Amino acid sequence: MKHARWMFVLLLVFFVAAATVVAIGCASGDDDDDDADDDDDDDDDDQENPCGDYDVVIDGQTHLPTHSTSNWTASLAIDDANAITGIVEPDSEEIDPYDVTGQRIDATTGFLQGSFDTPENLADLCQKETVFFDMDFTIVSTVFTGTARYFCGSTDPLDWLADLNATGTVICGDFSQ
């Protein structure tokens, strides 16, 4: 009997001590839920760079000679040397997303270069596999304007197809930084 009482007293002391530790922990306001902290950190990261892996995202339109537009989204990363890399995602079933490179010249100007497979709707103008382009552009605040020069097969001036104006809006990021 005596042994059972001691076991009961030890269990009681253990439960009281455990309850006290839990009560102190809860009263301190310290949140030990590491997963919740990690989620908060992820939210902070998203707020620090809402553009994901890119510095600037632009919704744009290239103005075609037919008085229509070709819509696209450009996601651009700018490194410490002001070199630009990114991707252009045309709103077209005929042109797949394609890589671009370029340079930020100053806080408001830059240029891009890239190429894409010649779409079926340009087959009459360009019988080569690839259409190349060079684009000089300006971004002031969130307003994007540029001129794209398109070439058939190479960037040789003899392969020039057209110069087309482009406009757009910066929907994420700040080009000047």
Side-chain angles (χ1 to χ4, degrees):
M1 224 28 192
K2 210 173 188 185
H3 183 60
R5 267 192 208 158
W6 278 107
M7 285 301 280
F8 178 74
V9 169
L10 283 174
L11 282 173
L12 184 60
V13 168
F14 172 75
F15 286 121
V16 169
T20 303
V21 169
V22 170
I24 291 171
C26 289
S28 72
D30 183 19
D31 182 9
D32 288 337
D33 186 0
D34 291 336
D35 291 338
D37 288 344
D38 289 344
D39 289 344
D40 291 342
D41 290 342
D42 290 343
D43 291 341
D44 292 343
D45 291 344
D46 291 344
Q47 290 175 359
E48 288 175 17
N49 191 3
C51 303
D53 293 336
Y54 299 100
D55 296 304
V56 177
V57 178
I58 303 161
D59 271 348
Q61 306 83 35
T62 301
H63 303 277
L64 304 174
T66 58
H67 301 288
S68 61
T69 59
S70 172
N71 298 319
W72 45 265
T73 300
S75 301
L76 308 175
I78 306 167
D79 69 14
D80 292 339
N82 290 319
I84 299 173
T85 56
I87 188 167
V88 172
E89 299 176 65
D91 185 14
S92 167
E93 293 179 12
E94 293 191 42
I95 304 174
D96 291 329
Y98 56 93
D99 295 330
V100 292
T101 59
Q103 188 73 28
R104 176 172 53 190
I105 306 301
D106 57 35
T108 61
T109 62
F111 70 87
L112 292 175
Q113 300 172 323
S115 63
F116 51 89
D117 293 338
T118 303
E120 195 65 33
N121 64 352
L122 290 181
D124 290 342
L125 295 173
C126 181
Q127 290 80 37
K128 297 183 181 173
E129 284 186 34
T130 307
V131 173
F132 290 87
F133 79 93
D134 292 320
M135 177 183 279
D136 294 320
F137 64 87
T138 301
I139 298 177
V140 177
S141 183
T142 62
V143 178
F144 172 92
T145 57
T147 302
R149 177 167 277 189
Y150 290 88
F151 301 89
C152 177
S154 76
T155 56
D156 186 307
L158 297 175
D159 291 329
W160 173 80
L161 291 171
D163 288 350
L164 301 175
N165 292 324
T167 58
T169 303
V170 174
I171 60 169
C172 185
D174 184 348
F175 182 76
S176 67
Q177 296 182 0

